Amino acid sequence: MKNYMEISFLAKSENESFARVVVASFASQLDPTIDEIADIKTAVSEAVTNAIIHGYDEDETKFVYLTSEIDEDTIKVVIEDKGNGIKDVNIAKQPLYTSKPELERSGMGFTVMETFMDSIEISSILGEGTKLVMKKTIKSNKNKD
């Protein structure tokens, strides 16, 4: 089974919860556990928040782009912005690194995303934007007794 969806939405902080629900609803066709859905929603939250805060400096006129694809038992989520980009992805992946130290935040959440998803790939070009690809294989409830 293959399925695909894409949406874009304004870089408003209230749209972070919208993105979580959209991806969780799309993933529901794989019959995930509640924990698996929570993992996906948490990773999506972190990624969308990064696009809004770090990518766009909270410029609500910009768009966040989200696509998701299901292939057999795996969901792929891609979150992309056309914003600031990341100077050094390896430094940005450090647990407490932030491009906004003046804000009361504890890093960019890449460690959280890596914990909750099976894989993440980050590609970024300074001044052009960032693309985050996350994948998670669902251990389907259909195979459980």
Side-chain angles (χ1 to χ4, degrees):
M1 163 179 58
K2 271 198 175 200
N3 200 355
Y4 177 85
M5 68 94 178
E6 66 181 84
I7 60 171
S8 59
F9 49 88
L10 287 173
K12 295 176 170 256
S13 60
E14 55 264 39
N15 285 337
E16 173 268 325
S17 60
F18 167 70
R20 287 169 51 102
V21 172
V22 167
V23 175
S25 296
F26 187 68
S28 69
Q29 64 196 282
L30 292 174
D31 197 20
T33 64
I34 291 174
D35 287 341
E36 288 169 330
I37 284 287
D39 291 352
I40 293 166
K41 288 168 71 174
T42 300
V44 168
S45 292
E46 293 288 338
V48 170
T49 298
N50 280 352
I52 293 168
I53 291 174
H54 302 284
Y56 289 133
D57 298 320
E58 300 183 73
D59 180 348
E60 296 184 349
T61 67
K62 305 292 184 184
F63 282 87
V64 176
Y65 304 91
L66 188 155
T67 62
S68 189
E69 181 179 324
I70 290 174
D71 189 0
E72 297 191 15
D73 58 354
T74 301
I75 184 165
K76 176 170 89 172
V77 180
V78 179
I79 296 169
E80 192 168 0
D81 67 67
K82 307 290 185 198
N84 297 322
I86 300 170
K87 185 175 182 177
D88 187 326
V89 170
N90 289 324
I91 291 173
K93 288 174 74 175
Q94 298 302 311
L96 296 177
Y97 173 82
T98 180
S99 70
K100 302 284 184 189
E102 68 278 9
L103 299 178
E104 293 184 23
R105 298 190 176 273
S106 59
M108 294 180 70
F110 292 124
T111 304
V112 172
M113 292 178 239
E114 287 175 326
T115 300
F116 290 118
M117 301 299 277
D118 295 332
S119 69
I120 71 166
E121 297 171 20
I122 306 159
S123 54
S124 190
I125 299 172
L126 206 55
E128 293 185 24
T130 302
K131 179 179 182 179
L132 177 66
V133 179
M134 304 183 288
K135 292 181 182 176
K136 185 169 190 75
T137 299
I138 302 301
K139 282 55 168 181
S140 180
N141 287 331
K142 295 173 200 152
N143 298 329
K144 297 176 184 171
D145 291 326

